[in-house]
């Protein structure tokens, strides 16, 4: 449980989930296409939050299983994307079986992970030849007014690069990286949501949060934009790497010690409290064929 006197920034977003959804930028489709590929595939999303990246993935035709440790964030995701499978889960203990996904993707969350544990888990759930994709929006603070905004709201995740972590793990191929430029329209309302959704501000006491909100609003009003909005520029940084075959072996145990490894893994998992949020797969329909009536007849099973 988080100590109220010292809240965990990584678990601070649930209390500001609505502001996060309204105030945070999406991701450019070109960046997601480069990360995941043009052909529809199975994607596991870690740290899915309110579904900013999920919406882009679904729009490109991919089958997505969205996970996040915060139920409040996932409730918003499921409200927007009711047909997407979603459940509580962490990168360090991914709630799915082995070798099931073509891509594991992480948007704006990789820096929160316990990387030794998370990378082993990612290797476990990826299919042979699958890839890990990481995407991160960073404000372009080469522009003076954006730099001033950054000083007001903080930039703790700016300049983050997972390359060395993946290289040092020995579990992935050489990392490829690209940067995509895009803009977010912010107005007098959404810029307040943007500041409130920051983890360094969400963990402040209510009086300090209100003070920071007023500072940012005064900053915005000082530019005389009113309700017309401003174009907030972002550099969307993207990385991907292919899982190596031995990563999957190492994360599931050797052939001779697989049974012992499975028992140890089960014991470790049993010591971790189960997520309270029910996997939405239990309420999503399955599409199946009727063998008696031919392959063209489809049945919808709502069990």
């Amino acid at each position: 449980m988080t100590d109220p006197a010292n809240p965990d920034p990584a678990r601070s977003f649930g209390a500001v989930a609505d502001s996060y959804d309204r105030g945070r930028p999406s991701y450019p489709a070109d960046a997601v296409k480069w990360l995941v590929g043009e052909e529809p595939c199975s994607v596991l999303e870690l740290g899915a939050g309110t579904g900013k990246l999920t919406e882009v993935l679904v729009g490109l035709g991919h089958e997505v299983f969205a996970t996040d440790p915060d139920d409040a964030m996932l409730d918003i995701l499921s409200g927007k994307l009711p047909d997407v499978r979603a459940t509580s889960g962490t990168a360090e203990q991914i709630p799915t079986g082995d070798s099931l996904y073509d891509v594991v993707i992480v948007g704006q969350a990789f820096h929160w992970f316990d990387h030794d544990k998370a990378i082993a888990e990612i290797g476990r759930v990826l299919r042979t030849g699958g890839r890990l994709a990481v995407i991160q929006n960073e404000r372009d603070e080469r522009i003076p007014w954006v730099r001033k905004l950054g000083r007001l709201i903080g930039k703790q995740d700016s300049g983050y690069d997972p390359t060395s972590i993946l290289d040092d793990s020995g579990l992935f191929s050489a990392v490829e990286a690209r940067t995509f430029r895009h803009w977010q329209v912010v107005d007098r309302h959404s810029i307040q949501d943007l500041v409130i959704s920051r983890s360094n501000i969400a963990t402040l006491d209510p009086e300090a949060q209100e003070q920071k909100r007023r500072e940012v609003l005064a900053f915005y009003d000082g530019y005389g934009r009113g309700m017309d909005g401003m174009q907030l520029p972002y550099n969307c940084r993207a990385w991907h790497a292919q899982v190596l075959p031995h990563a999957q072996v190492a994360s599931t145990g050797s052939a001779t010690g697989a049974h012992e490894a499975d028992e140890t893994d089960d014991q470790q998992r049993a010591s971790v409290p189960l997520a309270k949020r029910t996997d939405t797969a239990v309420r999503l329909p399955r599409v199946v064929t009727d063998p008696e009536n031919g392959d063209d007849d489809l049945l919808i099973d709502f069990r």
Side-chain angles (χ1 to χ4, degrees):
M1 182 177 294
T2 300
D3 180 1
N6 187 26
D8 178 5
R11 301 296 180 92
S12 64
F13 298 108
V16 293
D18 289 329
S19 290
Y20 190 104
D21 192 54
R22 292 190 300 261
R24 290 298 185 101
S26 183
Y27 299 88
D30 286 347
V32 180
K33 286 179 183 178
W34 180 77
L35 283 171
V36 181
E38 297 280 351
E39 295 298 320
C41 63
S42 61
V43 179
L44 171 67
E45 185 180 1
L46 300 175
T50 64
K52 291 286 185 178
L53 177 57
T54 321
E55 288 179 301
V56 182
L57 290 164
V58 170
L60 293 174
H62 301 295
E63 180 183 358
V64 184
F65 175 27
T67 69
D68 194 273
D70 197 300
D71 292 350
M73 300 284 273
L74 285 177
D75 285 345
I76 292 177
L77 183 154
S78 293
K80 296 188 297 184
L81 301 166
D83 293 332
V84 170
R85 183 186 175 195
T87 195
S88 303
T90 67
E92 297 80 12
Q93 190 178 13
I94 300 174
T96 191
D98 299 349
S99 305
L100 294 178
Y101 295 93
D102 300 310
V103 177
V104 172
I105 194 166
V106 186
Q108 221 72 18
F110 193 79
H111 56 291
W112 295 120
F113 297 168
D114 179 328
H115 294 116
D116 289 340
K117 294 179 181 178
I119 288 173
E121 275 286 88
I122 291 167
R124 176 182 69 81
V125 303
L126 280 170
R127 290 174 176 153
T128 300
R131 65 171 60 174
L132 168 61
V134 179
I135 190 168
Q136 182 95 3
N137 279 318
E138 298 177 2
R139 294 183 304 275
D140 187 352
E141 296 195 351
R142 295 173 299 178
I143 299 170
W145 78 267
V146 182
R147 190 160 55 248
K148 292 179 182 178
L149 177 64
R151 286 197 291 266
L152 281 175
I153 69 175
K155 45 187 175 182
Q156 72 271 22
D157 54 2
S158 180
Y160 184 80
D161 189 335
T163 301
S164 62
I165 294 170
L166 297 181
D167 286 346
D168 292 346
S169 75
L171 302 182
F172 291 89
S173 66
V175 177
E176 296 184 46
R178 282 188 62 180
T179 298
F180 299 80
R181 189 169 173 80
H182 70 122
W183 288 262
Q184 176 194 15
V185 176
V186 293
D187 58 25
R188 199 171 189 271
H189 296 298
S190 60
I191 202 166
Q192 295 178 69
D193 288 317
L194 178 63
V195 62
I196 291 169
S197 73
R198 302 287 299 179
S199 62
N200 58 307
I201 295 169
T203 52
L204 297 174
D205 62 74
E207 183 177 348
Q209 289 183 32
E210 177 62 16
Q211 176 61 33
K212 184 59 66 175
R213 185 192 66 80
R214 290 179 179 177
E215 289 177 9
V216 171
L217 189 57
F219 167 82
Y220 180 86
D221 289 342
Y223 280 83
R225 298 285 182 166
M227 296 298 293
D228 293 336
M230 302 170 72
Q231 294 277 348
L232 181 55
Y234 283 88
N235 291 318
C236 181
R237 303 179 68 199
W239 304 264
H240 67 65
Q242 189 173 20
V243 67
L244 298 175
H246 69 267
Q248 297 162 307
V249 173
S251 61
T252 55
S254 64
T256 57
H259 181 67
E260 291 83 359
D262 287 346
E263 287 185 341
T264 301
D265 187 57
D266 288 342
Q267 292 170 357
Q268 292 174 340
R269 289 174 186 271
S271 67
V272 179
L274 293 176
K276 291 183 290 185
R277 189 177 199 275
T278 301
D279 188 334
T280 55
V282 303
R283 59 178 172 78
L284 294 180
R286 290 187 299 117
V287 179
V288 297
T289 59
D290 183 353
E292 295 183 0
N293 296 326
D295 289 343
D296 292 335
D297 293 328
L298 296 180
L299 302 176
I300 307 299
D301 181 1
F302 286 92
R303 288 178 296 176

